[in-house]
Amino acid sequence: MVEPVCATGMAAKLRSQWDRDDGLGQNHNAVKFLGQDFESLRAQCQRSGRLFEDSLYPCAASSLGFNELGPRSSKTSGVRWMRPTEFCKRPEFIVDGATRTDICQGALGDCWLLAAIASLTLNDNLLHRVVPHGQSFGQGYAGIFHFQFWQFGEWVEVVIDDRLPVKDGKLLFVHSAEGTEFWSALLEKAYAKLNGCYEALSGGSTSEGFEDFTGGVTEMFELRKAPPDLYSIISRAIERGSLLGCSIDIANTSDMEAVTFKKLVKGHAYSVTGVEEVVYRGNLTKLVRIRNPWGEVEWTGAWSDNSREWDSVDRSIKGRLQNRSEDGEFWMSFSDFLREFTRLELCNLTADALQNSQLKKWSSSLYQGEWRRGSTAGGCRNYPATFWLNPQFKLVLQHPDAPGQSDCSFLVGLMQKDRRKKRREGKDMETIGFALYEVPKEFVGRSGVHLKREFFLTHASSARSELFINLREVSSRLRLPAGEYVIVPSTFEPHKEADFCLRVFSEKPADSEELDDDVVADLPAETNLDESQIDSGFKSLFRQLAGADMEISITELQTILNRIISKHKDLKTDGFTKEACRSMINLMDTDGSGKLGLTEFHVLWEKIKRYLTIFREFDLDKSGTMSSYEMRMALDSAGFKLTNNLFQLIILRYTEADMTVDFDNFVTCLVRLETMYKTFQTLDTDKDKVITLNFFQWITLTMFA
């Protein structure tokens, strides 16, 4: 027996979408994480005179981690959770503004996050979107703080108490070089809460932090294949407040955090915090400023803190740029930067076009989606039987980049959601990517279309992500001729479940939308025969089955159907349930008796025979059951075109544990769909596809339809 889909869960999902359509999730109206409201919790603490204790993120081993930071780890042995007021004489939230030196790495491998935070301090406006004003250890202090993070298309407010993990009298994780400043440690705690625990933050890409602090979109540059204008791209990006990070690839795990001859750390995330051109020995030399979030271990090559190159630079420029302290920040030449580092990550805050010096805004759109086993998790093009089941999105490129050209530039970013939280369950990032196809001429201008298997078997992609990779986000900057395209995001293998958001940014205005079938029921006309027209053999059978009252009840129908279906050895079934038979009677019972008379039963019988023909036709592998993609084709043949969302619900409701649909569930599903369709048609008297119900009508309909 399959499990029912929770109706209240679906209602909550719809309600949530309506709230977001009304503006919930914008920076000024953030979603309250776990339902906690900062202002009301702080007021409550101030009234009671007690410092806030966060019951939803307790001071417990589970909040630290599950493996390397788990309960039995030596790293967490002796850890105490303490408020800054308990181990620091005069703690402050921010001292003299938030700066890059406020962020020094602790015993957690989250240099990627700290590199992103360091970049954030370069732009006050950005910083205070994440770290709201008005927080301190002074007047109004109640042991409670709050931060805001961008998460997959919306801003989320996270509330924490200020009890921090301390070992041997020092903060275990991120800390400030000042020693009395705690905004960065509290920010790290809020981000750990958002992701489940501190250990969930271990290892990552700086771009992930960039995006969660800004809502921007990140581009990756492989420095071995750097574009010729990369220095000007970096320079303009820094001018516009974009965030930049860089790193050196490792060849193997033993290379991780290995220090090179000139003191650069492999597999470690750095921030790019500035660029400058200086006159050196009569020539202009391009310099790049880099910061190591460890707060120490600095480059010792040319243009490092104590190098001789500075002696040949104008004294005023040298005074402004040279920094001799071991603070983790250093200058190097751009040519050394390209040679020593492997990758640059650049987060465009407003998705500015960086191809030329003219400032432009991108046109952008965002879609939420999901890959679900058995319905929408089709895998990549290597799996043609299921690839077409993936969600599909249409992009209409109408405006070429320049007059006389046909190409349009755009950027696609595919991001998988909430994967850090799943690490505790042993899950991590899925391998994801996307492909683009030109819309066939017959479907141009139409939206109610979900392209089917045959299309993808006979058409090559027009573009695709550079690779499928197990990063949180895969993004590609692309150029295609003006026209209509379908973007198909997918995991590499089918049946991998994940939620995702897809973002499309284009140089010029472009339209985009989710491409999905319109919900349509195109059912064959039913032949309602008079009793005199029904075959005498069928009448004789009916008399035997119906008994003295000449009507078939739910129990009798169940007995009949299960006796008949047991004779079809090619069909797999665990039998029709009473609930399934009740649905059939509800569909066919025209006189409201709760039973089926001769003509009603005859119509049902013909319907089941038709369903049987469809089932056998689309059971392509003759397994006696339907796979999910066979099911979608069978529903289409039966006259039902459904959206991805509805199809997901059907797969959840009508499949067995192995994600197959047996014959009794197939029939029950079709009967249920037909019942709901006909009920709606009956109530939609003016045929405007809208009905209005009061509560009594709604409860009557849902209980008895």
Side-chain angles (χ1 to χ4, degrees), residues 231 234-236 238 272-277 287-289 331:
Y231 187 81
I234 294 172
S235 179
R236 289 199 304 276
I238 287 174
V272 179
T273 60
V275 290
E276 194 79 33
E277 286 190 272
L287 302 181
V288 183
R289 190 175 64 199
W331 291 94

Side-chain angles (χ1 to χ4, degrees), residues 310-360:
W310 292 107
D311 297 338
S312 302
V313 171
D314 180 271
R315 185 178 297 177
S316 64
I317 293 174
K318 176 181 176 180
R320 179 167 61 87
L321 301 181
Q322 191 184 19
N323 176 8
R324 291 177 178 273
S325 63
E326 183 76 359
D327 58 1
E329 192 162 62
F330 54 87
W331 291 94
M332 65 193 307
S333 72
F334 182 61
S335 55
D336 279 343
F337 170 72
L338 291 178
R339 186 167 48 250
E340 298 288 344
F341 284 91
T342 312
R343 184 176 294 106
L344 173 73
E345 298 170 65
L346 189 159
C347 183
N348 303 298
L349 302 182
T350 52
D352 293 329
L354 299 178
Q355 244 79 35
N356 57 47
S357 58
Q358 186 184 358
L359 185 65
K360 296 179 184 175

Side-chain angles (χ1 to χ4, degrees), residues 90-258:
R90 281 186 295 278
E92 295 191 61
F93 187 64
I94 294 180
V95 179
D96 297 330
T99 61
R100 304 180 299 284
T101 56
D102 298 345
I103 305 125
C104 300
Q105 192 173 350
L108 182 60
D110 62 348
C111 56
W112 62 275
L113 175 65
L114 309 189
I117 299 174
S119 296
L120 192 63
T121 64
L122 300 175
N123 184 319
D124 267 358
N125 288 335
L126 286 180
L127 178 73
H128 291 295
R129 284 161 69 88
V130 177
V131 185
H133 282 292
Q135 304 192 78
S136 78
F137 290 93
Q139 190 175 3
Y141 168 71
I144 184 171
F145 292 87
H146 66 134
F147 300 87
Q148 289 194 177
F149 304 102
W150 183 90
Q151 289 283 281
F152 318 114
E154 62 189 17
W155 285 88
V156 178
E157 180 184 61
V158 181
V159 170
I160 55 163
D161 64 34
D162 63 346
R163 296 176 295 176
L164 296 166
V166 172
K167 188 172 182 179
D168 301 326
K170 295 179 181 176
L171 285 175
L172 183 60
F173 303 127
V174 74
H175 53 279
S176 165
E178 294 282 342
T180 59
E181 188 172 34
F182 291 95
W183 72 270
S184 57
L186 293 166
L187 172 63
E188 183 188 43
K189 178 176 180 177
Y191 199 63
K193 177 179 176 178
L194 182 67
N195 286 282
C197 63
Y198 277 94
E199 189 170 350
L201 305 185
S202 182
S205 164
T206 305
S207 60
E208 195 174 331
F210 286 164
E211 292 181 338
D212 286 354
F213 296 150
T214 67
V217 62
T218 302
E219 294 182 81
M220 295 261 198
F221 294 92
E222 296 295 332
L223 298 181
R224 301 284 178 274
K225 300 179 285 185
D229 60 342
L230 182 62
Y231 187 81
S232 62
I233 287 175
I234 294 172
S235 179
R236 289 199 304 276
I238 287 174
E239 281 173 18
R240 296 171 189 171
S242 300
L243 307 185
L244 297 94
C246 57
S247 57
I248 303 169
D249 278 356
I250 58 171
N252 50 57
T253 50
S254 64
D255 236 3
M256 192 65 184
E257 295 193 346

Side-chain angles (χ1 to χ4, degrees), residues 249-296:
D249 278 356
I250 58 171
N252 50 57
T253 50
S254 64
D255 236 3
M256 192 65 184
E257 295 193 346
V259 180
T260 68
F261 172 63
K262 292 185 179 176
K263 293 291 182 71
L264 293 176
V265 185
K266 295 183 178 181
H268 185 58
Y270 290 81
S271 314
V272 179
T273 60
V275 290
E276 194 79 33
E277 286 190 272
V278 299
V279 177
Y280 174 67
R281 293 182 177 173
N283 295 312
L284 268 181
T285 298
K286 295 178 171 67
L287 302 181
V288 183
R289 190 175 64 199
I290 313 286
R291 174 166 163 74
N292 179 350
W294 283 351
E296 51 190 28

Side-chain angles (χ1 to χ4, degrees), residues 7-20:
T8 52
M10 280 308 301
K13 199 170 180 180
L14 277 173
R15 175 73 261 174
S16 172
Q17 187 54 54
W18 293 346
D19 289 342
R20 280 154 179 76

